[in-house]
Structures are given as C-alpha cells and as structure tokens.
Amino acid sequence: MNGGMYSDMNWLTEKEELRAAIASKDEAKFSEALTNLFKKIDDDLVARSQNMTAEQVDRYILQGRGQDQLTKEERNYYNKVIENRGFENLDVVMPTTTFDRVFEDLEKNHPLLSKIDFQNATGLIKWIVRDGEVTGAVWGPLTGKIKEELSNGFHEVGLTLAKLTAFIPVSKAMLDLGPVWLDRFVRLSLSESISIGLEMGIVAGTGKDQPVGMLKNLKGSVVEGVYPDKDSTPLPDLSPTTLSKIVVKPLTKDGTVNVNTVLIVLNPFDYWDKFFPATTFLSATGAYVHDVLPIPADVVTSVAVPKGKLIAGIAKNYFMGIGSNKKIEYSDEVKFLDDERVYIAKQYANGMPKDNDSFQVFDITNLSTQMLFATGNPSTTSAAFNMSNLTDDEKVLMGASETKSSKKTK
C-alpha cells in the first residue's frame, strides 16, 4: 500500500482521530472521524486519477503488482458494480483474490499485524492452534501418555464467533472512475477499517463477541463471556537487570522457551512521555538513536493500551484469524454524506493469546525516564544515568565505568 503512486497517501491524522474516537466510545465522534477518513481517501484518489494518464496508471500498477491491473474475475465484478451503480442486489460475490490482497496489505503495512500469528482464514470456520509449550516431536515409542500430551497441545479457535463489520461509503464520482480505481478504493477502505478494529481487539478485546486481548487473563473468572484484565507488575526502569529478570525471564517459562525478540506495546502518550526519553541517546556520530534497549525488542504504540500500562510478550504467540464472507451489502443504518451510499463488508474474525503466559502487563506509572545512554562518549554516560541501578558488570558493558585505558585517552 505504501509503494508506487500511493506512497504519499497515508492519512495518518485521520486514522489517529479514528483510533481516539473508538477509544472514547463516543458514537458521534466515531461517525465524524470515520467520515473524515473515507472522504479524504475518496478525495485523494479522485484527485490522483484526474492528474494521471491511463498510461501512467497502467505503469504504476504493473510495476507494483507484477501482473495485469486486475484479474478477469476482478474486472468483471467491478464492471457489474459500476453498471449496477452500487453493490446491492448483485448476483456475484467479491473475488477471493480481492480479499487476499486486502489481507496482504494489512500484514505488510500495520506493525502489530505483521508481528503476530495473523492468518487469512477465508472459507474456514475453525482454526487449529498449537499451544506455545507443546512438544513438536518425540523420540522413542509412541505411548499413550505421549499421545495424550500431543493431543492436549492443540486447541480449536472458532472463526465465526466474532464479526468485524467494515463500512465502505461509495460516492458517485468513485463509480465513474472505472474498475481499477474502484478496486483500489474498496481495498483501501477495507484495509484501514479492519486494521483499526483488529488492533483494538488484539490488545484489549473482552472475548465477548470479539477477540480476547493481550491485556486479558485467560485463567481468570469469565463473567458473561468477558475476560478479566491481568494484574500489572510495576516496572521501575529499563535497565538490563530489570528487563532481563522481570520481563524476559518469565517468558522463557522456566527455561523451556527460547525468547529471541520481545514485543512491547504501549500507549503513544506513555511512549513519548516515558519510553522515548529513556531509550534515546546522542551517538558518537552526532545523530540521535531511539528505542535503544538492552534486550532485542520490537516497540509498537497503540491507543488500545491504557495509559500507565505496558504489554510485553512473544508476538507469534497471539493468534488472529480473519476471513471474508465475500459480500458487500447496502446499509441504510448509517449515512455519511449526501452523495454517498454506505455499504458494509462483514469479516469473520477471532483471536486470542495461545497461552496465558505469553503476554505480561506492567505498570509504568513510575517508570524512570533517565536515559540508558547519554552520548556515544563513555566518559559522559555516567553523568546522565542513575548508576545505583546497575551492577559493576553492567556499567562496564554500557561503557559507563572508566577503565584505565579510557582515562588515558581523555
């Protein structure tokens, strides 16, 4: 989605406003924010189409996809939509390839979705998920006990239990642009709508008619389908000792799991207020480097995380499956603009952590914002960091302890 002729079209402001509106649970703000996003997408695509020749359009699409602009089935589908002046009462369904490309766009362009176990489950009603700690293979005879252990290491996730509805307001001008541009608008609308909905579910979903989020306790008391939040552990700082012992060590499950990278998810407010100051330093080359941590980690911000909380875990141990019913239907329940008809596309989706221990929740209310590194010059690092939190070995590793050789070179 970010390549070729659309590389400058990201609608960051509109998407952040929509995320904030969803988090506020204000229906009026949500409707206004969604209207603004779709109107901006519509306006930008119409303007772009008017400023490009057919040859330019073909060249960019061919370059980006490495194939014809649309498959025969896709082109026939959109031509019927245009002839019908809308999606209602069509005798054909959306081609599977269209949703396949929506899924690819989601996986490619959204940080959280690109890191978890995100699966295209179109046409399926159940998905078999392997538990994080299950043994994959065993030596020796296949005894009854081993069979039981293997069979208990997998569980089913019903994909039709939760529905994610995406709105697609289509203007008359968009129908007049032809199948290529209509396809682009449909996929952009689906991708942006779905990504925001999925993010909210993956992080904070209650489990009732929606996924079970990373914040939830799978072993807690479920009341009317709603899972309770996990208790949060105070995280005082981001020193090597703290992160290794409090964050990473529990994820190893007593040494039975290799932890190569930790996913860290926090609210954007906390990221800029606490995390960024604590993980940014001026390097020896004179350039600032940010998100520098003593552990391998991927840092993602999400408005779905409450302020004062931080989630840390193994990204691939969160499963999310999504599939399309391949129908776009007219909706008379929502109205955005006078010259638009609003359609809905229902996706079947469900997700949850593969086990209760793969994601931890931390309280970062009192997280230290002291920089781990002040500059690339070892002689000045100790002045900017609270050295009382570090062991002698950590001071040496961080270049904060003045050795005899470093004193000579001053």
Side-chain angles (χ1 to χ4, degrees), residues 103-124:
F103 179 86
E104 291 169 4
D105 293 337
L106 286 167
E107 192 174 34
K108 177 181 177 182
N109 297 316
H110 296 84
L112 191 58
L113 299 180
S114 68
K115 292 176 173 57
I116 65 170
D117 184 6
F118 187 42
Q119 299 289 343
N120 184 349
T122 297
L124 301 177

Side-chain angles (χ1 to χ4, degrees), residues 247-316:
V247 177
V248 184
K249 181 181 175 182
L251 295 176
T252 69
K253 299 181 182 179
D254 199 27
T256 61
V257 176
N258 282 319
V259 181
N260 298 316
T261 303
V262 176
L263 174 68
I264 293 176
V265 190
L266 71 165
N267 189 279
F269 177 89
D270 288 324
Y271 175 82
W272 293 110
D273 184 53
K274 301 176 183 294
F275 201 86
F276 182 83
T279 60
T280 302
F281 74 98
L282 185 63
S283 69
T285 63
Y288 277 100
V289 183
H290 61 86
D291 293 350
V292 176
L293 291 166
I295 60 171
D298 292 324
V299 181
V300 176
T301 60
S302 171
V303 298
V305 181
K307 286 195 290 186
K309 304 289 185 182
L310 179 147
I311 301 170
I314 302 173
K316 292 300 181 183

Side-chain angles (χ1 to χ4, degrees), residues 161-162 201 204-213 216 222 224-227 350-352:
L161 300 180
T206 65
K208 183 176 176 61
D209 300 324
Q210 56 186 273
V212 182
K216 301 301 178 179
V222 180
E224 296 182 355
V226 175
Y227 285 78
N350 206 357
M352 63 179 62

Side-chain angles (χ1 to χ4, degrees), residues 107-254:
E107 192 174 34
K108 177 181 177 182
N109 297 316
H110 296 84
L112 191 58
L113 299 180
S114 68
K115 292 176 173 57
I116 65 170
D117 184 6
F118 187 42
Q119 299 289 343
N120 184 349
T122 297
L124 301 177
I125 59 174
K126 291 183 180 179
W127 194 276
I128 307 299
V129 177
R130 174 181 170 180
D131 293 333
E133 67 274 11
V134 66
T135 301
V138 294
W139 291 101
L142 193 58
T143 63
K145 181 180 180 182
I146 292 176
K147 288 180 182 179
E148 182 179 357
E149 288 177 355
L150 289 173
S151 63
N152 289 338
F154 297 84
H155 62 274
E156 292 182 349
V157 176
L159 298 174
T160 60
L161 300 180
K163 296 181 180 66
L164 179 62
T165 301
F167 296 99
I168 309 175
V170 179
S171 67
K172 297 175 183 177
M174 186 56 63
L175 289 172
D176 293 335
L177 293 179
V180 173
W181 289 97
L182 182 57
D183 170 72
R184 185 65 187 180
F185 178 74
V186 167
R187 290 192 294 112
L188 280 170
S189 299
L190 284 174
S191 178
E192 298 304 338
S193 297
I194 291 172
S195 66
I196 295 172
L198 288 178
E199 177 187 320
M200 305 300 285
I202 291 168
V203 173
T206 65
K208 183 176 176 61
D209 300 324
Q210 56 186 273
V212 182
M214 296 174 177
L215 289 168
K216 301 301 178 179
N217 183 359
L218 299 183
K219 295 182 178 179
S221 178
V222 180
V223 180
E224 296 182 355
V226 175
Y227 285 78
D229 287 342
K230 285 185 172 181
D231 294 332
S232 55
T233 303
L235 189 67
D237 55 61
L238 300 175
S239 68
T241 298
T242 298
L243 291 180
S244 62
K245 291 187 176 181
I246 297 180
V247 177
V248 184
K249 181 181 175 182
L251 295 176
T252 69
K253 299 181 182 179
D254 199 27

